[in-house]
Amino acid sequence: MTALTQSPTRPARRTYSRWASLVVLCAGTLMTILDGNIVVVALPAIQNDLGFSGPGLAWVVNAYLIPFGGLLLLVGRLGDLVGRKRMFTAGLAVFTAASVLCGVATSQGMLIAARAVQGVGGAMASAVVLGMLVAPARREPHVQHSPEPREQARAIAVFSAVGAGGGALGTFLGGALTQALNWHWIFLINLPIGIVAWLAAVRVLTPEQGAGLGKGADYPGAALVTGALMLSVYVIVGSGTRPLTPTLLLAALALALFVAFTVRQAWAARPLLRLRLLRSRLLTGANAVQILMIGTMFGFQFIGALYLQRVLGFNELLTGTAFLPAPVAIGALMLGLSARTIGRYGAYRVLLAGLVLIIAGMTLLSRAPADGSYVRDVLPALLLLATGFAAAMPALTGLAMSGAREEDAGLASGLFNTTQVVGGSLGLAVLTTLAAGRTDELVSKGVELIPATAEGYRLAFRTAALIAVAALVLAGVVLRSGKG
C-alpha cells in the first residue's frame, strides 16, 4: 500500500525538479546573454565617460569575448570531471562579482580587466548548461530517469528562447538603462539577478559526481586548445582594424596550435577531447551549420541596430524598442510551437524551414533604402528572421546534443557554445568590415554619407543572406541522418 501511494508522487516530483532546474539554468544563461548585448548600445556613453579611443573602445567587447570563447571547451570538459553543478554555480559567482567591478569602474584598465573576468565567469556558467539539460539525472541510487523526447525538446525550446530573446532584450535594456540612469547600471543590474540565480542553483540543481580530475585532465592539451581558441577569437574580432600581414601571422599561429592540440589528443592517455566525439556526423555538422547561422544573425543584430541609428536616425531607446518584437516572437514561437513542431516533423525538416525564413528575412533587409522606414523596411524582415531563428535554433541544438554520449555532454555543450561565439565573432567581423569598406569607397567618390552608409549595410545584408544559403545547403547535405 505504501508503494502504491508513493509511486504517483515520484514522477510529479521529478517533473517539478526538472522544470525548476530549467528555470535556474535559463536565469543564469539569460544573465550572460544579456551582458553580451546590453553593452553595445552603451558604448558611446562609456567612450565619453572614460575617454576611450575608437580602437580602444572595441576592447570593452573584445575583453569579454576572448576569454569567453577561449575557455568554453576547457570548462565544459572540467564540468564533466568536477561536476556540472559546481562549475555552473562557480561561474555565476565569478560573473556576478566581475559585474560589480565593471559597474564601479572609473578607468579604462579597470573596466577592461573586469570585463575579462566576466568572460571567464560567463564561460564557466554557459559551457555546462546544455549538458545539464540533456544528460540523464540520477536522483536515487540505481534509478536512472531521463525526460521523454518531447519534454526534452520542450526544455531545449525554452532554453533557446531565453538565449535568442535575451539578445534582443539586452539591446533594449542597454538603451533604456543608459538613457534613464547611466552606463554603470548595465553591469550593476547583474548583482541582484546573480545572487538570486546562485541561491536558487545551490538549492534546486542536482549535485553530480564528476569523473574526477584524475580522469581526463589533459593539462598540456588544455593549454593548447585554450590558447588556440583565445587567439582565434582575438584574430576574428580585430580583423577589421588590424593590418593584413599581422592578422595572417596570428591566424597561422592559431592554426598551428589547433594542429598541435589534435596531435596531442590522438596520443594522450587521458585526452581532453576524445576525437571520437568529432566522428559524430550530427555533432560536427550541427556545429558547422551553427557557425554560419549565428554569423548571419549576429550580423543582422549589430548592423541592423546601426542602420536604425545612423540611417533612420533612431536614438538608443528607440533602437532597443525597435528590436522588441524579435524576443516576443521568438519566445511565443519557441514556447508554443517549437517542441510540438519538432516532435511532429523532425528536427531536420524544422531546421531547414527555419533557415529558409532566415534567408528570406536577410534578402528583404538587403533592399532597405537610405530613406526607408522601420514599419515598411525593417519590421517585416525582423519578424521573418525571428520566426526562422525560433524554428532553427532548438532543432539545431537537439541535433547537436543527440550526437554526444552522456559522459561527453559537458564537453559537447562547451563545443556548441564555442561555435556560437566563433560564428558570431566571425560574422560580425566579416559583415562590419564589408559595410565599412563599401561606405568608405562610396564617400571617396563623392556620395553623401547617409546613402553611402545605407549601401554599405545593404552589401552586408546581401552577404549575410548568402551565408545563410550556405548554412541551408550544408544542413541539407550533412544532417540528413537526423531527419527522423
Side-chain angles (χ1 to χ4, degrees):
M1 183 66 181
T2 302
L4 291 175
T5 57
Q6 289 181 349
S7 58
T9 66
R10 290 177 180 174
R13 288 174 183 171
R14 290 197 292 264
T15 300
Y16 169 79
S17 177
R18 283 198 298 268
W19 286 99
S21 299
L22 175 62
V23 170
V24 171
L25 294 173
C26 286
T29 300
L30 178 62
M31 189 167 62
T32 59
I33 293 292
L34 283 175
D35 192 80
N37 296 82
I38 201 171
V39 71
V40 175
V41 180
L43 285 176
I46 294 174
Q47 184 176 25
N48 293 335
D49 192 15
L50 299 183
F52 278 99
S53 64
L57 186 64
W59 281 100
V60 178
V61 177
N62 297 348
Y64 179 84
L65 285 179
I66 290 170
F68 185 88
L71 290 171
L72 280 168
L73 192 60
L74 172 60
V75 296
R77 184 57 182 162
L78 290 177
D80 291 332
L81 300 179
V82 303
R84 298 178 196 123
K85 177 182 177 179
R86 291 178 182 174
M87 184 61 68
F88 180 76
T89 53
L92 285 181
V94 172
F95 184 89
T96 304
S99 296
V100 175
L101 293 177
C102 290
V104 300
T106 56
S107 67
Q108 298 180 16
M110 182 178 178
L111 179 59
I112 290 175
R115 286 286 286 166
V117 178
Q118 254 193 325
V120 174
M124 294 169 66
S126 301
V128 296
V129 170
L130 282 175
M132 298 175 77
L133 278 179
V134 303
R138 293 181 179 272
R139 299 271 181 170
E140 302 173 13
H142 311 299
V143 178
Q144 179 174 323
H145 62 84
S146 60
E148 295 295 325
R150 182 163 293 189
E151 287 188 12
Q152 181 171 296
R154 191 177 297 116
I156 290 177
V158 172
F159 174 76
S160 299
V162 169
L169 185 60
T171 305
F172 169 75
L173 287 177
L177 289 172
T178 302
Q179 193 157 318
L181 299 170
N182 56 59
W183 67 265
H184 296 276
W185 285 95
I186 68 174
F187 300 112
L188 293 176
I189 196 175
N190 289 331
L191 179 60
I193 299 173
I195 291 174
V196 172
W198 186 87
L199 291 173
V202 170
R203 180 177 179 82
V204 171
L205 297 181
T206 306
E208 294 175 318
Q209 186 64 41
L213 288 175
K215 297 182 179 179
D218 176 23
Y219 296 110
L224 287 171
V225 73
T226 302
L229 286 170
M230 284 189 172
L231 188 56
S232 297
V233 176
Y234 173 74
V235 169
I236 291 170
V237 298
S239 59
T241 58
R242 192 185 302 113
L244 180 61
T245 300
T247 298
L248 292 177
L249 290 175
L250 290 172
L253 178 58
L255 180 60
L257 290 175
F258 275 121
V259 171
F261 169 72
T262 304
V263 173
R264 168 75 188 179
Q265 299 313 287
W267 295 99
R270 297 187 179 95
L272 176 69
L273 173 61
R274 299 181 181 92
L275 295 183
R276 61 169 170 77
L277 190 66
L278 301 180
R279 291 199 294 269
S280 167
R281 187 175 183 180
L282 287 178
L283 181 64
T284 55
N287 277 279
V289 171
Q290 179 175 234
I291 289 176
L292 299 174
M293 185 180 77
I294 295 295
T296 298
M297 295 302 296
F298 260 57
F300 153 71
Q301 185 172 348
F302 284 92
I303 295 179
L306 291 174
Y307 174 80
L308 292 174
Q309 290 179 311
R310 296 181 178 177
V311 177
L312 300 188
F314 283 29
N315 62 24
E316 292 92 345
L317 183 58
L318 277 178
T319 300
T321 305
F323 276 89
L324 275 182
V328 173
I330 288 170
L333 291 169
M334 283 187 176
L335 300 181
L337 296 175
S338 180
R340 284 181 290 175
T341 305
I342 292 173
R344 180 172 182 179
Y345 297 105
Y348 173 75
R349 296 184 180 92
V350 173
L351 171 62
L352 297 186
L355 289 172
V356 169
L357 291 175
I358 290 174
I359 293 169
M362 295 307 305
T363 302
L364 193 59
L365 268 179
S366 68
R367 303 172 61 188
D371 58 348
S373 73
Y374 171 74
V375 173
R376 184 185 68 241
D377 299 304
V378 179
L379 183 59
L382 180 71
L383 295 176
L384 278 173
L385 289 165
T387 304
F389 194 74
M393 193 61 194
L396 190 62
T397 304
L399 288 169
M401 296 306 295
S402 67
R405 302 179 183 180
E406 178 186 351
E407 63 269 22
D408 294 323
L411 180 60
S413 173
L415 180 63
F416 195 71
N417 282 285
T418 298
T419 57
Q420 280 189 5
V421 176
V422 171
S425 301
L426 184 59
L428 189 59
V430 169
L431 297 178
T432 54
T433 300
L434 285 174
R438 179 60 174 161
T439 299
D440 292 342
E441 177 188 354
L442 292 175
V443 168
S444 67
K445 294 180 179 179
V447 179
E448 293 184 1
L449 180 59
I450 290 181
T453 302
E455 175 56 31
Y457 293 155
R458 285 196 294 271
L459 173 61
F461 291 140
R462 289 194 295 270
T463 306
L466 292 176
I467 295 173
V469 170
L472 176 64
V473 172
L474 183 63
V477 173
V478 176
L479 301 180
R480 286 184 62 87
S481 59
K483 66 182 179 180

